[in-house]
Amino acid sequence: MEEEEIVCGIVGYMGPGEASRILIEALKRLEYRGYDSAGIAIWNEGKVEVARKKGKVEELRKEIADNEKFQGNLGLAHTRWATHGVPSERNAHPHRADDVIVVHNGIIENYLELKDELRKAGQEFLSDTDTEVIPHLISSFMRKPMAFIDAIRQALTELQGSFAVGIINKKDRIMVAAKKESPLIIGVGDGEYFIASDAPAVLDRTNRFIFLEDGDMAVFKDNQLSLMDFQRKEIVRPVQTVSWTGVMAEKGGYKHFMVKEIFEQPRAISDTLIGRIREEQGEVGFEELELPDISKIRKIWMVACGTSYHACLIGKHIFEANLRIPVEIDIASEFRYRDPIMGADSMLILVSQSGETADTIAAMREGKKKGAYTLSVCNVLGSTLAREADGVVFTHAGPEIGVASTKAFTTQISVLYLLLLHMGQKLGIMDSDTVRDLISEIKKIPRKIQKILDDAHAVEELARKYMTCKDFLFIGRGVNFPTALEGALKLKEISYIHAEAYAAGEMKHGPIALIDENLPVVVVSPVDQTYQKTCSNIEEVLTRRGRVILFTDDASHDMRQKVENAITVPETIYELEPILTVVPLQLFAYYIANFLGTDVDQPRNLAKSVTVE
Ligand code: AGP
């Protein structure tokens, strides 16, 4: 029996529109969450038609096109990225038992026991999934007899683990949604309702959302919505308007979401700064954050995964250099099992674009358990990390659809920089003149990025030259080492070329053995306090006939004439260099992947938000 852990996207619709068309469109916008099989169920006057297909959503669309059985204005749909169990039609959602149809995102941890009990009661199972126990459990309660809504409540209280579910039944024109630990939101349209794992799925139809909390249940009947908990006690949740629009979640004329989001970075950073900097007064503040007394803080932790972890590494440099408070960095999947030594004198900062990364959520909960003050830096309003941490600061990057994170990274660094200034003020370490000077530096960043983007063709030519290389080494020192890590991650995850990054000072301790005339070495080295030492690393590579590609700034760099290629970015202060130097590295990875023809927005084996461990 294969337990199936699934990261996926669910959507549901009730309204006057054509459910199948609306749901397929919504699924296509969720494909970045996972895409190895998809399914749909349409309710129409006491009948439910279900179709499931291996492969991308487009395969499902073709399957049901022009089939009048799939006409109707109520339905559910699901796109899947499996971490266990092969992608197959049999395991695709929706799953059904008698009249009950369910789509699910999450992991039912006690599904084996439930399955045994239900089998003993004569239930037949068709798939290997944990999800399939949900419709069977509901159906078994309905046979007692029990009303549909009560049978659902009873079943949900028996489930252990995480779930975001959409449920319909053949007999009644009712849709039910419920949430526990997996993301689920309600879209409130004009006379129509949506349920979705994530806002971009339905942004073309509404930008008004209700963010469900764990233990919430939503019942949609006769185009009316009622909210309750699993004990049927009425609850109230605000309808929030997100400033995202469907167009923003579209490609806007770009070939891929990733390149669109790279070019959106000037705007994303400007939006992240708006309303938070008061240059004249030399102040930085956040309307969504009221820090407690931080004079007691003796240690800061920054914990995340992937690209967000690289943002934390930069955070360490700038926080320690300016606040002189120890900052410990950790990868969330390591942190949560290390029994970290922390307490009320610790601040735990969690960085996450999606706010739904399972390991980062677990790290936050571990920190809370130990009494630390938890602060999340997220891009998604209403996400678990945004809601559950003691404090939150939002990046205002807008929806990031490309699996490879770009504008989220540069806005995360921007937020960490603003947080540094804010905390520096509160601690009396930074006076208003210092803060004013630093504010004026970050205010110039959007224009400096735009200048880099205006010169993107130079990077495109570079990518064309190196696209056939099979290995890359990225090196950097100080704040440039996390940038080198990020450049290597971008390249490997979208082009599938092997790329690794090292602290430049580590070359002599092993990596230099790799150097030969076939190995391109990307050196991230603006002319800053680490530059001289990095020059000697470049010499080491050149004397071994290595191929150096230098990413530096406009200041004169001794090695500019000696290296094979150089890309320059505008100068800025040390703390902000990564926001600029990462942009040509993002473009370098993008153009190589584009030339190679890989699936840039949905790279193989990856999902945008890893909501399983
Ligand atoms: C970045 O390009 C990757 N897609 C991935 O490493 C990502 O940064 C990581 O999964 C963390 O996601 P989060 O920021 O949503 O927590």
Side-chain angles (χ1 to χ4, degrees), residues 304-309 351-357 360 385 402-406 408 412 486 489-490 493 606-610:
C305 300
T307 287
S308 302
Y309 166 70
V351 178
S352 173
Q353 188 285 129
S354 63
E356 297 298 348
T357 298
T360 311
L385 277 163
V403 166
S405 193
T406 50
Q412 285 166 351
E486 177 58 14
L489 175 62
K490 289 284 100 46
E493 72 174 325
L606 289 177
K608 181 61 183 172
S609 173
V610 184

Side-chain angles (χ1 to χ4, degrees), residues 149-150 153 177 212 215-219 226-236:
I149 303 297
D150 293 329
R153 292 188 309 108
L212 295 180
D216 286 2
M217 198 163 106
V219 178
S226 44
L227 294 174
M228 61 194 76
D229 63 16
F230 295 176
Q231 288 66 43
R232 208 159 189 164
K233 180 166 151 296
E234 190 189 348
I235 54 173
V236 177

Side-chain angles (χ1 to χ4, degrees), residues 358 542 578:
L542 292 175

